[in-house]
Each structure stands twice: as C-alpha cells, then as structure tokens.
Amino acid sequence: MAKYFLYARKSSESEERQVMSIDAQIDELKEFAVKEKLEIVASLCEAKTAKQPGRTLFGEMLSRIDAGEADGILAWHPDRLARNSVDGGRIIYMLDTGKINSLKFPTFWFDNTPQGKFMLNISFGQSKYYVDNLSENVKRGIRQKLRKGIWPGKAPFGYNNDLRHHTILPDPEKHKLVKRIFELYATGEYTFEQLIQKFDIRTKTNKIMMPGDMQHILKNPFYSGVFRFNNELHQGTHKPIITKKLFDDAQAVMAARGKRRKKSSHGYIFTDLMSCGNCGRAITAEKQKGHVYYRCTKKRTNCDEKYIREEELLSQFRDTLQKVSLSDDWTKNLLAKLDEEQASAIQSSSVLVQAVEGQIMPIKTKMDKLLDSHLDGIIDKQDYVNKKEKLLNEKLDLEAKIKEVRNKGNDWLEPMREFILDSCQAKKIAANGDSLQIRTFLKKIGSNFTVKGKKFDWLAKRGWKIMPDFGRFPTVQARSDSNREPRFWRPMFYH
Ligand SMILES: [Zn+2]
C-alpha cells in the first residue's frame, strides 16, 4: 500500500473563509484515504500561510519524503501545498526526480505524467495568481476607502477599527484622553514626557509610551478630521476628536519648542511666572534650610524687595483661586441657562448656514471633475494632488465658516461655558491642586504677576475681573441688543 503524508493547512487569509476548517479538512482527507486505500504515515497540520516559503512542517515533510518515509502527499487541494513559486517548484522537482510518486487531492485530479505535472503547475500558478490578485484587491480596497474618506490603516491611538463596518470609531475612553492631551499640550506648559507621566500612557504591550510616540500623536491631523495618505490630503469621514484650531495651536507650540532654548535649570516652579513689583526685574529662587525662597534678582542695582517663602506664596495663590471659584450649584444653573441661549441662537443662524452650504456644492463638483480628469489621464498625479489640496482647503474653510455662523451672536457661549467650568475648577485646584496646576491655572486667568511687599498681585484677564466680588456675579446685565425679554445674566465680560 502506498504511503502518504496527510498535509492540512489552516487558512489565515480572511478571503478564504469559505475554505473548510482544519478539522473538517482532516476528517475529509481521512475518509478519502480509506476509500482510496492509502496508508497515512503521519498527519501534519500547519498553521502558516503558504504565500511565503519557509513553512516548518511543510519543509520537514519534504525531508522525510526525501528520506523515504513516504512516497506521496494527501492534501485537500494543491493550494494547500503551495502558494508561492518556490514551494511549488520543490514539489514538481521531487516529482521529476521520483522522490514523490503521487499526490492525492479530493478536489483535484493529479496524474504523475508530463501532462499532469503541467496541470499541477498551473494549479500552483493559479494559487499564486490568486494571491497576487488578492494584493491587487487589497490595493483596490484601499483606494475605495480613501474615496470614502476612511483611513485605510490601523486606527491611531484614541480610535478603534470597526472591522464589521470597515470604519474607524473613537475609542469610548481614550478619545477623551487624546483631547485632554492636545488641550494641555497647547497650553505650552507640558512636554511629551510630562503628558505621558501625568496620564500614565501605555502601549498595547503595557510599556510606558515613548516621547516620540507622543509627538507622533500630537502631529497627527487625523484627530482634527483629515489625514494624509501617500502625501495626499484626505478629508476623513471619521468623527474628529479635536477642532482644527486646537490642532493648529498644538503645532504652533511644537514649532516654538523646537526653537526655544532649554528652560532654566534650577526648576523653581514660580520664578518664570512673576516679576518684582518694585523694580520689574525677574524673580529668582533658592533653597535654604529646607524652604524655597523667591526674591528679586536685584542685578547691579539695589531693590529692597524682601524674600518670600514658597509656602506663603502658595497660600496667597490658593486664596486667589478661592476668590474666583464658583459653587457647584451655580455652575449647574449657569450651564443650564447657557444651553437655552445656545438653542435659540442656533435656530436663528440656519438661514446663513444654508447660504454657505450653497458655496460648498460647486467645490464638490469641481473636486469630482478633477478626479475624473486625473483618472482619464488628462492631468498628472502631482497636479491632481496640488489642485485637490487647494479645493479641499477651500471646502474646509467654508465648513469652518458654517460652524462660525452657527455660533454667530453666541460666540461668547463657548468661552463662557469654559469660564464657568474653569471657575468651578478653581475651587478644586485651590483646595487640592499641586504647584504646577496652580501655576497653569493662574496663567490661564491672568497676567502681569508681581510680588511687592511680600504680596502677590496680578492682572485678571477679561472675564475674571469681577470675580473678587463674586456675590454679584449672577445679577450681571440684561441683554441690550434684542427686543426679547432681558435675560438676567448676559455677562458683561464677553462682548
Ligand atoms: Zn526688585
């Protein structure tokens, strides 16, 4: 009785889902062997793809045949044996040299004759063609995705690939983190390392993220809704996590960072925040007996400003933050009012929005025509890419305009909302914040920080001026610009 190796190979390619499972393959092959009276020396079951040469079990099997353990192979189809010209060639060669006498396939008839080998070769070739075709299909798939505005690769950090619908969706948790990362980075107060440490950001293998990866995230325009593929800008259909403005702000910080010299090395956190209120010089700090003291640099002249201890400074900072803070109750009420305002403003802007949308239509048409002329070979790739980018930018500008129009008349709403949330934050930072949070917050709400006579002073930014007398805040002003009934709280600090 002729001796055979039973060789089954699992399909890893998703396109081959129809191919039988490995257990079913083996069952069928065993039944086939009984019917055909074939003796099975060993059953080998490979998990690797046959697209590349170098499968372990496949190689072992051929050596064992070479050593005379068997004289044939039983497999489901030639494509189980070879999908590349090297492995296919080895089998044909062993048939030529008589090492293999016979190949049996339930799905393919093979005769060990010149004609049979020719057919087998074609079958291997077809498998190869199928693989080549597959990658052509993949390319086609990529083009199709690009046309639909879908990033064809692995979803970037903060997003997930939705395999079922072939789209990319924001990760329910991580997208918030990404937004926060951009916001913090755009303040200019954080380095890549600090962001990674602050949020303990880890890779998929649970290692601390490298700064380069953080930079990669912060440079990726994907988060604002567009992406580059082969140097071509595409407008994505995925949900953006951040606005274009925030993305641009982050890029500006990164560009400035690249130029800026290293920060002063002593690392006392409040020195670059303040200046001397007496002579205007910079503040320096030093440590003595376990305490950090801040003082005027007093270079070359006399300034009689006294030292101030960091603890004292911090407690003054906390007092300041306490004064500008808003209770949770007020926060809630004010935000609710804000929502009402916003709803009515959106309604009145819809006419203008339609007008701008009318301007976008012809651009879309132009883009379609441009693509057609490129596909027809009328304009070359580079020309197409350049023109397309120009049109796309026009389109993005108009779309930004729509957002602007939607907020027209209520462009104070967003800053106001932020302000309310910030002042609610202030209370928490005053109570529990660390030095860095306090410094960041102070810079957000004020400028011209000085120390004079051991007292900290500052200039509040717009919106924060009235805060010291906070009790009056909710009774600000009636709206004067509308014939609607006055709303009690149109704030006077945003206009
Ligand atoms: Zn001074």
Side-chain angles (χ1 to χ4, degrees), residues 276 279 296 303:
C276 172
C279 70
C296 174
C303 171

Side-chain angles (χ1 to χ4, degrees), residues 321-336 417 419-430 464 467 469-474:
L321 292 183
Q322 195 64 52
K323 276 182 193 152
V324 301
S325 69
L326 188 57
S327 78
D328 288 350
D329 267 0
W330 271 114
T331 305
K332 225 175 92 189
N333 288 341
L334 291 174
L335 287 176
R417 197 189 305 274
F419 165 74
I420 291 168
L421 291 172
D422 279 349
S423 48
C424 179
Q425 272 277 299
K427 190 171 48 134
K428 285 153 194 160
I429 291 177
W464 296 92
M467 299 313 274
D469 190 8
F470 208 70
R472 273 191 333 198
F473 171 66

Side-chain angles (χ1 to χ4, degrees), residues 275-283 295-298 301-305 451:
S275 57
C276 172
N278 193 24
C279 70
R281 281 190 186 76
I283 295 284
R295 63 164 174 83
C296 174
T297 42
K298 276 190 227 178
T301 55
N302 295 321
C303 171
D304 54 9
E305 265 308 303
V451 183

Side-chain angles (χ1 to χ4, degrees), residues 41 212 383 486:
V41 181
D383 210 15

Side-chain angles (χ1 to χ4, degrees), residues 5-29 42-59 61 73-85 87-88 91 104-107 123-124 126-131 134:
F5 277 116
L6 185 157
Y7 183 83
R9 183 175 64 78
K10 203 176 145 194
S11 303
S12 47
E13 298 89 337
S14 55
E15 282 75 10
E16 286 182 308
R17 272 184 202 131
Q18 283 80 355
V19 174
M20 266 190 239
S21 77
I22 200 140
D23 287 339
Q25 269 184 59
I26 291 171
D27 286 349
E28 289 275 338
L29 288 172
S43 294
L44 304 172
C45 182
E46 187 101 66
K48 269 189 188 162
T49 171
K51 275 193 258 182
Q52 275 96 37
R55 283 167 288 157
T56 331
L57 288 175
F58 181 78
M61 175 175 72
I73 303 170
L74 169 64
W76 180 252
H77 185 270
D79 71 6
R80 300 295 90 192
L81 291 181
R83 282 188 166 225
N84 66 78
S85 42
D87 291 343
I91 288 184
K104 296 279 184 191
F105 312 100
T107 58
S123 181
F124 286 151
Q126 267 180 337
S127 309
K128 174 79 168 62
Y129 172 75
Y130 176 78
V131 171
L134 206 66

